[in-house]
Amino acid sequence: MTPREVAALIAYVVRLDPRLALDDQAAAAERLAQWCDLLDDVPATAHGWDAARVARDYIARNPYHIQPSDISRPWHTHKADVMSRHVGTFEPTAHPEINPDDETGDAYVAALRAERQAVAAGHIAPVTHRAITAGPPAAEVERRLAALGEYMPRSVKQVLAEYRPRRTERERAAVEGRPDALDVPCAYEHCLAPVGKPCRNAHRQERAKPHPTRLDHAAAHYARRQKQETAA
């Protein structure tokens, strides 16, 4: 929030709870500075978020004086929830300015990061679901599942899932239409895991999750391939 937005928010909470009124100008200025510091990375409004509403709900439900942390904590919880629901799939048709033949993938990575930052800031809604029923997306699912190995009954897959979490996650990504990080090599200089192999940490031990750089490049690779198939 900007200092002007913080000042407006303080005025609003004082109107709701007159106990917070301060007659001393120095104390009021000190409070404004404190709130500005703690709410610097919290928006006044965003997709699914309204700081004034959070303040009002707190005052309505609690007998204690509201603190800036009573607004910042819910924001970070809200942000984490939004990002956990954002599947991170990239819609290439929304970016016609990107050349699908760009082998570097830099433009895709930049657009992907910008989209993720916009979702995190609440400027746009998260993409929570991608339907895959027919056409190129469905064909892509079949291709990716076929590349992962032979068919086995679903009941057997469910039993084995906990014993091979990496493969299970790759199959789930294929079915849900999400990028598969293991489709691309890891570009992180201390890892450099090849295609199909998990990322490793500084001690050369396998990581449970791919490096963020690999996730970005996997999403760009997936989006580029989707756009090429759509163009075809």
Side-chain angles (χ1 to χ4, degrees), residues 11-144:
Y12 177 66
V13 299
V14 169
R15 188 162 68 251
L16 295 180
D17 185 357
R19 296 176 304 167
L20 298 172
L22 296 175
D23 295 328
D24 183 85
Q25 292 298 317
E30 183 178 351
R31 178 171 66 182
L32 176 60
Q34 179 198 40
W35 280 55
C36 284
D37 188 28
L38 292 175
L39 299 179
D40 179 64
D41 59 346
V42 178
T45 57
H47 186 84
W49 166 264
D50 186 330
R53 186 187 66 226
V54 172
R56 181 192 62 206
D57 290 347
Y58 178 91
I59 293 173
R61 298 174 184 175
N62 292 277
Y64 310 108
H65 290 186
I66 189 171
Q67 300 295 327
S69 57
D70 296 319
I71 298 171
S72 64
R73 278 197 299 267
W75 160 249
H76 290 295
T77 299
H78 170 81
K79 178 180 175 181
D81 175 65
V82 167
M83 294 308 294
S84 70
R85 291 186 289 111
H86 181 57
V87 297
T89 53
F90 186 77
E91 180 51 62
T93 57
H95 297 273
E97 74 282 1
I98 297 178
N99 180 4
D101 297 322
D102 177 14
E103 295 297 333
T104 67
D106 291 344
Y108 284 97
V109 171
L112 181 68
R113 286 174 176 166
E115 180 181 276
R116 188 177 297 170
Q117 291 169 356
V119 171
H123 298 154
I124 60 175
V127 179
T128 58
H129 177 69
R130 176 182 288 275
I132 301 179
T133 56
E140 172 67 6
V141 169
E142 294 300 324
R143 183 196 69 76
R144 290 170 64 182

